[in-house]
Amino acid sequence: MSNPPADLLSAAEPRRRAEAPLKGAPAATIDAQRQLHELQVRQTELELRNENLRSALDASVEKYSGFYDFAPVCHFTFAADGAIRDANITACNYLGVERARLLGWRFASFLTAASCADFATFLQILTADDFQHACEVHLLGEPPHHARLDGMALHAAPGEEWCCRVVLIDDTNFKESDEQKRAMTEVHGRNAEEKEGILDALSAQIALLDPFGRIVAVNESWRAFASANALECTNFFMGRNYLEVCDRATGDCSEDAAAMAQGLRAVLSGQQSRFTFEYPCHLPQEQRWYRLDATPVSTARQAGAVVMHVDITERKMSDQRLREEQAQLAGLINAAMDAIVTVDATQTIVRVNPAAEAIFGWSASQMIGQPLTRLIPARFGAQHVEEVRAFGVSGASSRRMGALGAIWGARADGQEFPIEASISQIEVGGDKFYTAILRDVTRRRRAEAELQRTSDEMRALARHLEVVRDEQAAHIARELHDELGQTLTVLKLLVNAMQKRLEAPADAPPSSEAREAYELIEDSVASLRRLCTELRPPMLDHLGLGTALGALAANFQTRFGIHCILEAPADFPLLDPPRQITFYQLVRELLTNVARHSGASAVRIVLRELENALELEVSDNGCGISDTKRTATKSFGMLGMRERALAAGGTITFEGHPGQGTTVRARLPLTLLPDPP
């Protein structure tokens, strides 16, 4: 059994003290006194209870004040003019003003200008109506805070000032959240429209399937394809089960449709992450190919798969053309007369043609997979590897090989042979390949050597014939000069003497016959001297090349009226007779060309002694030789001079421009070349 409360025990104690004196008193007195004491006891009990209630009330008021001050919302008490009469601590902290300073301020001073009118209307409504009322205001700040006011008028006793109790709830975050939700909704809407626009812009036919294979959405290409091909469908197959459409396919495409249905089921069930299938879809008037791509889709709102039909007709046609071109290329490579060898970046052989098999004596299976050095003599292997490597980093697409020297190949039997080669490089799929075209030039080298030998023999023969001709000319010139010249001279003397004897008087003029005979003999002697000089100038043998050229230049100037200058070193080198006559004849032929073709008024002859060579330069100020005349095959004069210089082991060049004259340079060695055996 529980003990009685402490307040009841404290009230019973006065009652016992009041009943103690009544014990033993008369009954009537005792009754009156008992009633009196009971009243006193009751009064005492009531006072004690009143004290207890007052203590409890004070505790409740204190507790309520704590709840009021620290409530999660702002509490205000406003006067009719909006002055703040009371505010809890939460409201003071919200406005940032201490309570002692805040009381008496007008609440409108914390509001934006637009919200002041709304607050005034709010107070007027509360003044005229006892019901609750609410309004929304914006408080000053950056950015302004949005708050909701819920107010109710307080009943005032007569003579007391009217006031109202208002609760302020800051719902800025709620407003921002609502705006964000609206913005997100708009963004989602725009994204959906953009996605739909992107899907419609794609050329592939796209459909979205649900987990059961039903078509729930299609793009514009799908709809256009269905319309263009007159497919019997309602709403472009929307709502139809695509798997069932494939299962029910008949005819030539039934096998492809069954394979597509099987792959789609694997994607929808999660057994495959992707399914791709290429199939033909030909029309009577054209051939078409498509590729089906199926990928799973799993989002919060949608599950299933995306199916795309991509038109790959162009790629298929390109592949077919590529195969045909590759077949043609392979045919050309196999039919090529030159060897073609392709190696990879490590210079390992990956392809050869039949000509390479014939040239090197290895079969294709014996060469493919082997290093390229197998086809090259060992002593050239390192040099060839370095040349191919340098070509690979040069960036050039192709070039001729052998810049560092001759290239040699090695046959299967070890025989070495000369080759000509060109190389090209190409990258395929990130891998580099080199292709070399090789030609066996063994026969050509032999033919070139034979041709060179024949050319050397012909030049030696020409040189020999030139010497023989010069010797014959010299012999004829000597004979004419020594025999016929002497005879004519004697004849001249005899005729002169005869004329003197036949003259009657000493001062009589000579007879006409004798005079004509004398003049004829004079002309014959002059012609004989000129002929001897042209065949072989005597001073060339007796006085040297310099003196002979000087006489030639003077005679040229006198005969043609063209100013001629000769520049030669004072200590002119002594040349052998063949070299002297070659220089002399070149100068004579060049001067003849100047007189006949150039129309020049001056010509300059320069002789220079170089290191182990003598250079001749003849230049004029005439019309100049053109490129056409310089390269003409029928310019026998220039051809003869070129062959004459080559036969002597030298060179000759012709330079000129129209209107700027012509310059000819010949260079002959000072040492006579030996005759070939």
Side-chain angles (χ1 to χ4, degrees):
M1 186 173 179
S2 60
N3 296 323
D7 57 346
L8 294 180
L9 292 177
S10 60
E13 182 62 27
R15 182 176 179 177
R16 285 194 297 271
R17 288 197 304 267
E19 289 178 348
L22 295 177
K23 293 181 178 180
T29 304
I30 292 174
D31 290 337
Q33 291 180 348
R34 184 183 300 276
Q35 292 178 358
L36 178 61
H37 286 298
E38 287 181 356
L39 291 174
Q40 292 177 346
V41 169
R42 288 184 178 276
Q43 182 179 359
T44 302
E45 290 177 352
L46 291 174
E47 290 177 354
L48 291 174
R49 288 183 180 274
N50 186 38
E51 185 66 26
N52 291 335
L53 290 174
R54 186 177 291 107
S55 299
L57 178 61
D58 292 340
S60 298
V61 170
E62 184 178 357
K63 185 176 181 180
Y64 171 76
S65 298
F67 287 151
Y68 172 76
D69 281 335
F70 297 102
V73 296
C74 302
H75 288 274
F76 292 95
T77 301
F78 293 136
D81 59 356
I84 302 174
R85 294 289 180 253
D86 192 16
N88 65 349
I89 294 178
T90 303
C92 296
N93 293 336
Y94 179 76
L95 298 178
V97 182
E98 296 179 357
R99 180 183 291 178
R101 295 178 53 204
L102 182 63
L103 299 181
W105 281 22
R106 293 184 180 276
F107 184 70
S109 61
F110 295 96
L111 302 178
T112 62
S115 295
C116 288
D118 296 335
F119 180 65
T121 304
F122 170 72
L123 291 179
Q124 292 176 0
I125 294 174
L126 289 179
T127 303
D129 195 350
D130 290 339
F131 295 101
Q132 290 184 347
H133 186 64
C135 76
E136 295 182 355
V137 295
H138 288 87
L139 285 84
L140 297 174
E142 288 297 334
H145 287 259
H146 187 277
R148 175 185 173 87
L149 301 179
D150 288 303
M152 183 179 64
L154 298 179
H155 294 283
E160 292 184 357
E161 183 184 6
W162 180 92
C163 61
C164 63
R165 181 66 56 84
V166 176
V167 176
L168 183 148
I169 300 175
D170 190 326
D171 58 356
T172 303
N173 295 333
F174 296 104
K175 286 291 184 180
E176 292 178 353
S177 178
D178 291 341
E179 293 177 358
Q180 291 175 355
K181 289 180 180 179
R182 286 194 297 272
M184 291 179 64
T185 302
E186 293 177 358
V187 170
H188 287 315
R190 288 195 298 270
N191 289 342
E193 293 177 357
E194 291 176 357
K195 291 178 180 177
E196 184 177 356
I198 292 173
L199 289 178
D200 287 340
L202 296 176
S203 60
Q205 293 93 49
I206 302 175
L208 179 62
L209 308 184
D210 67 8
F212 304 101
R214 289 189 295 266
I215 299 176
V216 296
V218 296
N219 71 337
E220 181 61 29
S221 295
W222 181 286
R223 294 188 288 269
F225 180 82
S227 300
N229 291 272
L231 298 179
E232 296 180 1
C233 59
T234 303
N235 197 20
F236 307 104
F237 290 108
M238 292 286 290
R240 292 279 297 276
N241 192 300
Y242 195 68
L243 301 178
E244 295 178 358
V245 173
C246 294
D247 292 337
R248 295 173 183 173
T250 58
D252 296 337
C253 63
S254 59
E255 294 183 3
D256 292 339
M260 285 189 282
Q262 182 180 357
L264 289 174
R265 286 189 173 94
V267 171
L268 290 171
S269 63
Q271 297 177 0
Q272 288 184 216
S273 60
R274 183 176 182 181
F275 172 69
T276 300
F277 185 79
E278 295 183 359
Y279 62 94
C281 184
H282 302 321
L283 294 176
Q285 65 274 18
E286 66 174 334
Q287 290 184 325
R288 301 184 306 181
W289 285 268
Y290 286 86
R291 185 186 71 245
L292 180 143
D293 291 324
T295 53
V297 173
S298 179
T299 64
R301 297 185 299 171
Q302 185 69 47
V306 173
V307 177
M308 291 194 303
H309 293 269
V310 182
D311 189 344
I312 59 173
T313 302
E314 185 176 353
R315 196 204 74 192
K316 282 288 188 180
M317 299 298 290
S318 298
D319 291 344
Q320 183 176 349
R321 288 193 297 269
L322 179 61
R323 287 192 296 270
E324 294 174 354
E325 291 175 358
Q326 287 177 340
Q328 294 176 358
L329 178 61
L332 292 174
I333 291 176
N334 292 334
M337 301 298 293
D338 294 332
I340 300 177
V341 179
T342 300
V343 300
D344 59 15
T346 63
Q347 300 192 31
T348 300
I349 300 173
V350 297
R351 183 174 183 175
V352 295
N353 69 336
E357 296 178 288
I359 291 176
F360 290 100
W362 301 95
S363 65
S365 59
Q366 291 175 316
M367 287 187 284
I368 294 176
Q370 299 297 320
L372 183 60
T373 52
R374 186 172 189 177
L375 309 180
I376 303 171
R379 66 181 185 277
F380 298 121
Q383 173 184 338
H384 182 79
V385 170
E386 175 59 25
E387 187 172 356
V388 174
R389 187 202 64 78
F391 170 69
V393 300
S394 67
S397 59
S398 63
R399 78 173 184 188
R400 187 182 183 89
M401 298 183 67
L404 302 179
I407 299 180
W408 292 82
R411 306 189 199 275
D413 58 3
Q415 179 187 1
E416 298 182 4
F417 62 99
I419 58 177
E420 281 186 351
S422 61
I423 187 172
S424 61
Q425 61 177 327
I426 188 174
E427 283 194 10
V428 179
D431 298 326
K432 182 172 287 189
F433 294 92
Y434 302 93
T435 298
I437 300 177
L438 313 172
R439 176 176 296 174
D440 186 350
V441 294
T442 303
R443 293 183 179 179
R444 196 182 74 188
R445 290 285 179 87
R446 292 173 183 170
E448 289 175 351
E450 182 66 20
L451 180 62
Q452 182 64 39
R453 185 185 65 80
T454 303
S455 178
D456 292 342
E457 290 178 352
M458 294 299 295
R459 284 186 177 141
L461 178 60
R463 189 164 60 248
H464 176 69
L465 293 176
E466 188 72 22
V467 172
V468 171
R469 190 186 70 175
D470 292 339
E471 290 177 352
Q472 290 177 347
H475 175 72
I476 294 172
R478 282 194 300 271
E479 290 294 328
L480 290 175
H481 182 272
D482 295 342
E483 296 182 8
L484 185 57
Q486 292 178 4
T487 301
L488 291 175
T489 301
V490 172
L491 180 59
K492 176 183 176 182
L493 294 174
L494 292 175
V495 170
N496 188 29
M498 183 179 62
Q499 180 181 2
K500 290 180 179 180
R501 284 196 300 268
L502 293 177
E503 292 177 352
D507 55 350
S511 63
S512 59
E513 293 82 358
R515 187 173 61 256
E516 291 177 0
Y518 184 82
E519 292 176 356
L520 181 61
I521 293 172
E522 283 285 347
D523 293 340
S524 298
V525 171
S527 298
L528 180 62
R529 288 176 179 173
R530 181 178 55 80
L531 182 60
C532 291
T533 302
E534 290 179 356
L535 287 174
R536 176 84 173 203
M539 67 178 63
L540 188 64
D541 297 325
H542 302 293
L543 301 178
L545 179 62
T547 304
L549 291 178
L552 179 63
N555 183 45
F556 174 82
Q557 181 171 330
T558 301
R559 184 177 179 184
F560 297 103
I562 299 175
H563 184 61
C564 186
I565 301 174
L566 173 65
E567 298 179 8
D571 52 345
F572 200 84
L574 183 62
L575 299 177
D576 53 85
R579 201 66 46 83
Q580 287 192 129
I581 190 60
T582 299
F583 265 107
Y584 184 85
Q585 289 176 345
L586 285 175
V587 174
R588 186 174 63 187
E589 291 182 22
L590 289 172
L591 290 177
T592 301
N593 286 342
V594 169
R596 289 180 179 178
H597 308 295
S598 70
S601 61
V603 62
R604 182 167 171 262
I605 305 170
V606 179
L607 285 172
R608 301 186 187 93
E609 183 180 1
L610 305 176
E611 183 179 357
N612 200 29
L614 188 63
E615 184 181 70
L616 166 68
E617 179 181 311
V618 178
S619 58
D620 62 58
N621 61 351
C623 61
I625 187 171
S626 63
D627 293 339
T628 303
K629 292 182 179 179
R630 188 170 63 247
T631 57
T633 57
K634 294 185 178 181
S635 298
F636 296 112
M638 288 189 293
L639 256 172
M641 285 185 280
R642 187 177 290 110
E643 287 299 321
R644 188 186 297 275
L646 289 175
T651 60
I652 187 169
T653 59
F654 300 87
E655 298 178 1
H657 299 282
Q660 299 181 15
T662 301
T663 300
V664 181
R665 293 184 180 88
R667 180 177 296 185
L668 300 181
L670 293 176
T671 303
L672 187 63
L673 296 177
D675 292 336

